[in-house]
Amino acid sequence: MEFSGKRALVTGGSRGIGKAISVALCEAGAKTLQVDLEDWDKTRSIVKNVGNIDILVNNAGYHVSKNFLDTVKESLDKQIDINIKSVFNVSQVVAKSMISRGTGGSIVNISGVRSVKPSPRACGFSICKAGLDMMTKVMALELGPHKIQVNSVNPTYVGTEETNESLRKNAEVLSSTIARHPLGHVVSLSDVTNATLFLLSDKSSMITGTSLFVDVI
């Protein structure tokens, strides 16, 4: 998959999944930019000023592990701000630029398996990921006539540096994590990266509005 001459914007690209995607895009020839998302207006200004974007990966996410009854407003607000509103905000700016240039483009939202699989202590996060999947579908429907593809990648538990270290310290959790997947291994960063690059590439030119699960459903 080749991305020479393309400019890619990756949110939350400093570590984990976002960093892996940024590195892979650069290795495939793209020029990659990163932004922070703390402020709505500041983010819009920054994204407008970074210039033309051909590829957008909305990867930034925020998860608070709390029971439904223990979740406070501030926690829910922050999860919605980062997992939903920031995607809406950045995508709106980038899509308008793509439309004005008439070049089309590709957007991938990093969602998760919790958009369809309920899990304890993840109500706020699951709500956000379910909403993100529907946002992806509506964006695909509205932006498709402008030659903009929009899809999501929905991984399960991913073996990042942090999570792998945690698993190594807990053999029981590692064993149960592997046992949950019929292929018998923890999902790796490269598994998620490869799925993302496929949806960003010309290889998926007739795929839009879909959620690609890197997991068993």
Side-chain angles (χ1 to χ4, degrees):
M1 290 175 283
E2 176 63 38
F3 296 95
S4 294
K6 301 288 187 179
R7 300 183 82 236
L9 178 63
V10 180
T11 68
S14 62
R15 62 191 177 99
I17 293 173
K19 182 178 179 180
I21 292 171
S22 297
V23 170
L25 282 168
C26 290
E27 290 176 346
K31 180 178 180 182
T32 311
L33 308 169
Q34 301 174 3
V35 296
D36 293 322
L37 306 166
E38 291 299 322
D39 181 274
W40 175 281
D41 293 327
K42 184 178 179 180
T43 295
R44 291 185 77 88
S45 176
I46 291 172
V47 174
K48 285 179 180 178
N49 289 327
V50 296
N52 298 339
I53 298 297
D54 306 294
I55 293 167
L56 171 61
V57 180
N58 288 301
N59 165 76
Y62 180 72
H63 175 219
V64 176
S65 181
K66 283 285 186 181
N67 292 325
F68 168 71
L69 293 176
D70 296 328
T71 300
V72 299
K73 177 182 180 298
E74 291 75 16
S75 170
L76 183 60
D77 284 345
K78 187 167 183 177
Q79 289 181 87
I80 291 172
D81 284 347
I82 295 177
N83 297 318
I84 292 289
K85 290 172 67 177
S86 74
V87 176
F88 194 106
N89 191 18
V90 174
S91 297
Q92 192 177 66
V93 175
V94 171
K96 285 181 177 181
S97 175
M98 289 176 175
I99 292 170
S100 69
R101 300 191 332 263
T103 56
S106 185
I107 299 172
V108 167
N109 300 322
I110 304 300
S111 182
V113 70
R114 284 178 176 169
S115 69
V116 296
K117 282 186 176 181
S119 178
R121 299 179 61 82
C123 188
F125 189 71
S126 297
I127 289 169
C128 292
K129 293 305 183 182
L132 182 57
D133 283 3
M134 183 52 68
M135 189 194 308
T136 298
K137 295 180 185 300
V138 176
M139 287 170 61
L141 184 65
E142 294 189 3
L143 300 179
H146 301 286
K147 300 179 181 179
I148 300 172
Q149 293 169 255
V150 188
N151 294 288
S152 73
V153 170
N154 298 54
T156 183
Y157 187 95
V158 179
T160 64
E161 290 182 10
E162 293 177 355
T163 57
N164 280 337
E165 180 63 25
S166 175
L167 288 175
R168 280 192 290 269
K169 293 179 179 178
N170 194 325
E172 183 178 342
V173 174
L174 175 60
S175 177
S176 65
T177 300
I178 293 174
R180 284 198 297 269
H181 202 293
L183 295 179
H185 62 82
V186 177
V187 172
S188 69
L189 285 171
S190 62
D191 293 326
V192 180
T193 297
N194 289 336
T196 303
L197 264 63
F198 166 69
L199 290 176
L200 292 171
S201 75
D202 294 338
K203 304 292 186 183
S204 64
S205 60
M206 278 300 291
I207 300 176
T208 196
T210 193
S211 293
L212 178 55
F213 285 85
V214 187
D215 188 25
V216 60
I217 297 297

